[in-house]
Amino acid sequence: MITFCEEKQIFKLDTKETTYMMGLVDGEFLGHIYYGKKLRNPGGFYRFRTDEYPMSPKLLPREKLGFFGGFPFEYPTGGVGDYGESCLDILNEMGQSACELHYVSHRIEQGKPSLPGLPASFGLKDEVETLFILMQDEVLKVQVELQYSVFEKEDVITRSVTIHNGSDHTYRLTKAYSACLNVEKEKTELITLHGAWARERHIDRRELFHGKMRVSSNRGETSHQEHAFLGLVTPQTTQSSGEVYGMQLVYSGNFTANAERNMYDIDRLTIGINAETFSWKLSAGESFVTPEAILTYSDQGIGQMSRNFHDFMRSHLIRSPYLHKDRPILINNWEATYFDFDTDKLLSLAREAKKQGIEMLVMDDGWFGKRNFDDNSLGDWVVNEDKIKGGLKYLVDQVNAIGLKFGIWFEPEMVSPDSDLYRAHPDWAIQVKDRSINMARCQYVLDITRKDVRDYIFDSLSAILNSANIEYVKWDMNRSVSSPGSFLLPEDQQGELFHRYTLGLYELLDRLTTAFPNLLLEHCSAGGARFDAGMLYYGPQVWTSDDTDAVERLRIQEGTALLYPLSCMGAHVSKCPNDQVGRRTTMKMRGDVALSGTFGYELDITAMPEEEKAMIPTQIENYHKYHHLIAEGDYYRLHSWDDKEPYDAWMVVSKDKSEALVTYAQVLGRPGYKRILLPLQGLDPAGDYILDGEDAVLKNGEMPEYEGDLLMGAGILIGNSGDFSSKLYHFRRK
Ligand code: GLA
């Protein structure tokens, strides 16, 4: 619920468990008062007062700068005396930077409008309410509308900003962030995600010191390296207790997320498009809309933040018709064959896969142009009939006749220098005049800020998708953007390239999903370099990492699940020893770990050891038994493995608490330890549960029974087992 208390000049935004408050000082300046546990009434205006200064520049005009220096602006602007990180910087027609926003008006609406050209959350009129606060800089004649949408049930508030140039001049935006949050706590710690190729989204946590700390991307994609997310906690916060603020961005390009502790120990979190690589010409009468930021708060620990984000994305962000469906269990030929395949090989994979219960064959990279290696043909989306003998339709028909669906890989945003496309249109590659383009994986990036390039991509993909019964697409992107120049953008708009690239991508994805509404779309970027909330608006799943080793996946999937529902994480059982790290793990552990994602296979099923192959039907049975729980349930992180306690554990609990699945993965054996007791979470303490999973210990044919409070208080008993062993425990209420 959103209210404005005229008398106190306070906006109060309430969700089920939280309250967010802002106040108007002098009827002009919008400041942040509070975000935290739900409060009864609007109040707390004293938050704006300091010892030195009264809370109003009207009362002490000679010290307006002092007021600006200490005021917790909701949307701080540059150049006028707030020396913290600003959210908005505008250059006027003389190239000078200053902007001071004053409140003009506000309105409250049921529901939530979409954001033009950008992915954004949505909700019905009775699910979400939106507050629009109009601010203005009278000198620039710029209007800034702050948008706050309140998702009561999920304890989420989303924000975005529209900047309108109401003057006769042309201005330049050099920064336009999406949100700012000022938090005042004695000591805080920052949680971020970092990584590299094959090591995405590992969790970092450290004290927030004075000064600025930031994570960002300037690669044209969200990146393997850093993530558009900040978690702010107190030192006492654990998985299941304590305060946590979470902030993330619905955006797939260059972002920045900044945390700053100022001289008064006030933390300012800001998030938005990365200003380092952004400059936007805002002509008279034009508007600029920022991406959306998602905020949540809980005093129930980090796990609750994750559950809020998961619920929110499942209900209000992911649009795919597959969201609440079991995904077809696929086998992907990448790690099975790499580029070395043909129709016969694919059909042999399909036949064997069908026997084991697999439901879809995905043909990965190497089916087009003359591509037998990664140094050619990107952009030439024409079937290579030397490999795909008989053509694509023949292959797909055969696969369908075997009883499998068919999926295909594309890398639409790219072009190989050795391609017909590049030879015909060298100017279509992103590049800076007179400089050679730095290659990565022997490829260039297409300038999808251009409509002609987007049309070419859309037409090429459509032609392939219309030529056969293709039900799934893996949309890949295997290099970052560099040399950010476009041959079509005018010189005073070259600084717009990165954002326009992301907008171009969204336009393409929108066209594709509109033209092929039943397509199952899996995003990918050299593994998981574009795993973000923006992409999930278009496709329900993202390939989490090129590292398919079950042990490496524990940390990668844990970090990913910090923000994203398990049903979004592309996860496959791959061969042993693993291609990326050479580790030998058990087939059981590979299956159990992949089960907590979309689930599928990525190996040569015709050449794998028989005893491993024999386990596939049970793994598939588990998927069908448990996927609804994994996809729709509440996720609890129970234990993260480390050197001293080398096991990992998590669980999912159905919303009605009638069912739970615990996954336990022992990375290394623990010599001398007889067993562990693992306390569970999220069960009904008053409920009685029966353990009936494949790893249930059955005594005299009886199903073991446990009380919910005992399972959570004392824990379940797990016998010591060897390296790379894993267990699945399924509980159902009696
Ligand atoms: C990327 C993907 C892989 C595979 C290859 C193909 O690395 O992450 O899964 O599709 O490209 O070139």
Side-chain angles (χ1 to χ4, degrees):
M1 193 161 79
I2 301 173
T3 50
F4 178 62
C5 174
E6 191 75 50
E7 187 204 334
K8 295 184 178 166
Q9 295 280 289
I10 288 178
F11 293 97
K12 186 164 184 278
L13 284 55
D14 288 320
T15 68
K16 192 168 59 74
E17 306 285 346
T18 71
T19 290
Y20 188 107
M21 283 196 295
M22 303 169 267
L24 280 174
V25 168
D26 292 347
E28 290 195 319
F29 303 108
L30 184 66
H32 184 75
I33 296 179
Y34 173 85
Y35 188 25
K37 207 173 161 62
K38 193 162 186 170
L39 302 178
R40 277 175 297 158
N41 292 310
F45 216 72
Y46 50 79
R47 155 88 151 100
F48 298 139
R49 220 163 30 221
T50 69
D51 273 356
E52 287 165 73
Y53 301 113
M55 59 181 157
S56 149
K58 251 190 202 149
L59 295 178
L60 193 61
R62 54 165 269 149
E63 289 298 350
K64 187 172 169 189
L65 189 59
F67 168 80
F68 266 58
F71 189 67
F73 280 101
E74 255 311 291
Y75 194 65
T77 50
V80 285
D82 177 326
Y83 296 108
E85 180 82 25
S86 64
C87 280
L88 179 66
D89 288 339
I90 304 181
L91 301 183
N92 66 15
E93 70 278 24
M94 287 179 70
Q96 302 159 330
S97 172
C99 177
E100 183 176 319
L101 294 179
H102 299 148
Y103 170 83
V104 178
S105 63
H106 73 269
R107 65 185 205 281
I108 298 166
E109 285 179 8
Q110 295 303 307
K112 176 177 188 291
S114 56
L115 300 181
L118 287 164
S121 58
F122 46 81
L124 301 173
K125 288 206 162 130
D126 58 353
E127 294 172 329
V128 53
E129 208 179 356
T130 301
L131 165 68
F132 303 86
I133 305 179
L134 185 65
M135 313 282 292
Q136 176 161 238
D137 181 302
E138 291 82 9
V139 178
L140 292 171
K141 295 193 175 49
V142 161
Q143 290 81 37
V144 172
E145 189 172 68
L146 308 180
Q147 184 177 319
Y148 296 78
S149 294
V150 177
F151 291 86
E152 182 138 4
K153 193 166 152 229
E154 291 81 13
D155 288 319
V156 159
I157 293 174
T158 62
R159 292 180 55 174
S160 70
V161 180
T162 303
I163 300 135
H164 177 74
N165 181 355
S167 77
D168 300 332
H169 304 288
T170 296
Y171 296 146
R172 184 163 294 281
L173 297 178
T174 53
K175 195 196 262 187
Y177 288 171
S178 302
C180 168
L181 180 67
N182 296 283
V183 179
E184 204 166 339
K185 306 267 168 211
E186 204 183 318
K187 262 195 168 185
T188 50
E189 292 178 356
L190 194 66
I191 299 178
T192 55
L193 298 171
H194 75 97
W197 175 78
R199 202 185 68 228
E200 293 90 337
R201 288 171 295 285
H202 281 206
I203 299 172
D204 255 349
R205 177 172 173 168
R206 74 298 217 177
E207 189 178 339
L208 186 55
F209 296 114
H210 296 106
K212 290 183 189 176
M213 152 81 216
R214 82 190 199 119
V215 286
S216 65
S217 165
N218 51 12
R219 296 167 180 267
E221 57 182 342
T222 20
S223 87
H224 294 105
Q225 287 75 11
E226 288 166 14
H227 207 77
F229 158 74
L230 294 175
L232 193 77
V233 294
T234 67
Q236 298 76 33
T237 303
T238 67
Q239 285 299 324
S240 53
S241 69
E243 290 193 290
V244 54
Y245 294 87
M247 194 185 219
Q248 60 166 309
L249 198 64
V250 187
Y251 193 58
S252 313
N254 291 355
F255 70 89
T256 183
N258 317 292
E260 172 178 16
R261 172 154 277 227
N262 76 7
M263 57 188 165
Y264 303 125
D265 292 352
I266 298 175
D267 298 340
R268 175 177 284 181
L269 307 182
T270 49
I271 200 162
I273 295 175
N274 189 352
E276 259 185 5
T277 51
F278 172 82
S279 158
W280 194 270
K281 182 176 167 190
L282 197 68
S283 300
E286 281 181 358
S287 297
F288 181 85
V289 181
T290 73
E292 176 169 295
I294 310 172
L295 277 65
T296 192
Y297 166 85
S298 175
D299 66 347
Q300 305 291 313
I302 298 162
Q304 191 57 46
M305 174 194 75
S306 299
R307 290 187 289 281
N308 291 353
F309 280 140
H310 294 187
D311 285 345
F312 175 72
M313 290 189 196
R314 287 185 293 213
S315 302
H316 302 293
L317 189 74
I318 305 169
R319 299 179 301 170
S320 167
Y322 287 90
L323 174 63
H324 298 296
K325 286 188 190 155
D326 279 8
R327 318 283 156 84
I329 297 174
L330 64 83
I331 182 159
N332 178 305
N333 74 310
W334 178 241
E335 287 194 24
T337 65
Y338 295 105
F339 294 104
D340 183 17
F341 63 90
D342 59 12
T343 298
D344 290 344
K345 180 67 196 174
L346 293 174
L347 291 179
S348 71
L349 289 178
R351 273 186 218 102
E352 192 54 47
K354 174 67 188 170
K355 275 196 227 155
Q356 306 307 327
I358 292 170
E359 298 157 343
M360 179 161 74
L361 175 78
V362 174
M363 177 172 70
D364 212 279
D365 191 357
W367 56 267
F368 52 91
K370 55 182 176 67
R371 191 151 164 106
N372 289 311
F373 194 54
D374 64 9
D375 60 358
N376 66 80
S377 298
L378 289 170
D380 297 345
W381 301 110
V382 179
V383 179
N384 178 349
E385 297 211 8
D386 290 340
K387 286 168 97 169
I388 310 303
K389 294 186 194 74
L392 186 60
K393 181 160 173 22
Y394 170 78
L395 170 66
V396 178
D397 286 348
Q398 291 300 306
V399 170
N400 287 168
I402 290 168
L404 260 59
K405 295 174 188 291
F406 186 87
I408 200 165
W409 178 98
F410 286 104
E411 198 178 349
E413 300 149 75
M414 298 292 150
V415 64
S416 307
D418 179 8
S419 67
D420 293 341
L421 181 66
Y422 186 72
R423 281 183 283 274
H425 299 284
D427 55 323
W428 281 14
I430 287 184
Q431 59 197 286
V432 169
K433 186 172 164 286
D434 295 338
R435 284 184 189 277
S436 60
I437 311 172
N438 290 341
M439 278 206 282
R441 212 193 189 206
C442 207
Q443 64 198 53
Y444 300 154
V445 185
L446 283 172
D447 182 3
I448 58 168
T449 69
R450 298 170 63 133
K451 186 168 180 314
D452 51 357
V453 175
R454 292 199 301 272
D455 286 347
Y456 169 82
I457 293 173
F458 179 75
D459 292 346
S460 316
L461 265 57
S462 301
I464 294 288
L465 295 178
N466 284 324
S467 73
N469 183 25
I470 298 171
E471 300 181 65
Y472 160 110
V473 161
K474 178 174 170 188
W475 179 304
D476 207 342
M477 185 218 193
N478 275 317
R479 63 157 289 176
S480 303
V481 179
S482 69
S483 316
S486 163
F487 276 125
L488 220 58
L489 280 175
E491 63 190 56
D492 60 348
Q493 287 184 278
Q494 290 288 329
E496 300 176 10
L497 181 117
F498 276 111
H499 184 53
R500 285 186 183 274
Y501 183 91
T502 309
L503 294 177
L505 170 70
Y506 290 149
E507 198 237 72
L508 268 171
L509 291 170
D510 210 48
R511 273 166 90 177
L512 186 78
T513 48
T514 306
F516 301 93
N518 295 319
L519 199 65
L520 173 55
L521 183 59
E522 176 154 351
H523 303 295
C524 176
S525 181
R530 208 161 51 185
F531 203 129
D532 60 65
M535 297 308 275
L536 287 172
Y537 181 75
Y538 301 97
Q541 61 198 58
V542 188
W543 182 230
T544 314
S545 175
D546 274 346
D547 200 327
T548 54
D549 172 68
V551 174
E552 296 305 313
R553 275 298 183 114
L554 293 174
R555 282 198 175 123
I556 294 170
Q557 293 184 190
E558 176 179 336
T560 307
L562 191 68
L563 308 181
Y564 306 104
L566 306 188
S567 62
C568 302
M569 296 195 293
H572 298 165
V573 177
S574 67
K575 67 170 162 293
C576 179
N578 177 269
D579 267 359
Q580 289 76 34
V581 294
R583 189 181 275 127
R584 292 178 177 276
T585 55
T586 60
M587 180 70 177
K588 164 104 168 85
M589 183 168 168
R590 280 177 271 153
D592 287 351
V593 173
L595 193 67
S596 282
T598 56
F599 194 69
Y601 291 85
E602 181 139 351
L603 40 69
D604 188 347
I605 196 169
T606 64
M608 67 190 294
E610 283 303 322
E611 65 280 10
E612 291 194 353
K613 190 155 67 182
M615 297 173 77
I616 294 180
T618 310
Q619 293 180 340
I620 288 180
E621 203 185 307
N622 283 340
Y623 176 84
H624 289 304
K625 260 201 280 189
Y626 303 136
H627 187 70
H628 66 283
L629 193 52
I630 289 163
E632 312 290 340
D634 288 334
Y635 165 78
Y636 294 85
R637 226 166 280 114
L638 302 179
H639 195 270
S640 307
W641 71 276
D642 56 40
D643 292 343
K644 196 164 164 286
E645 294 181 331
Y647 60 90
D648 207 277
W650 64 94
M651 67 188 288
V652 279
V653 185
S654 63
K655 290 279 173 199
D656 64 2
K657 299 190 182 294
S658 65
E659 234 191 314
L661 182 74
V662 180
T663 309
Y664 171 85
Q666 176 115 23
V667 176
L668 296 173
R670 304 175 73 211
Y673 286 88
K674 294 270 182 276
R675 43 92 166 146
I676 67 152
L677 279 172
L678 181 71
L680 303 188
Q681 293 181 40
L683 299 172
D684 173 6
D688 293 325
Y689 290 90
I690 294 174
L691 173 62
D692 68 357
E694 65 173 70
D695 292 306
V697 186
L698 301 183
K699 285 193 188 122
N700 309 323
E702 291 283 316
M703 295 292 194
E705 275 183 42
Y706 301 94
E707 285 155 0
D709 56 351
L710 181 74
L711 289 171
M712 293 193 287
I716 55 169
L717 180 72
I718 300 178
N720 197 6
S721 48
D723 297 4
F724 314 125
S725 56
S726 65
K727 295 194 160 85
L728 288 178
Y729 297 103
H730 180 245
F731 293 90
R732 63 184 161 82
R733 196 163 22 201
K734 216 172 123 187

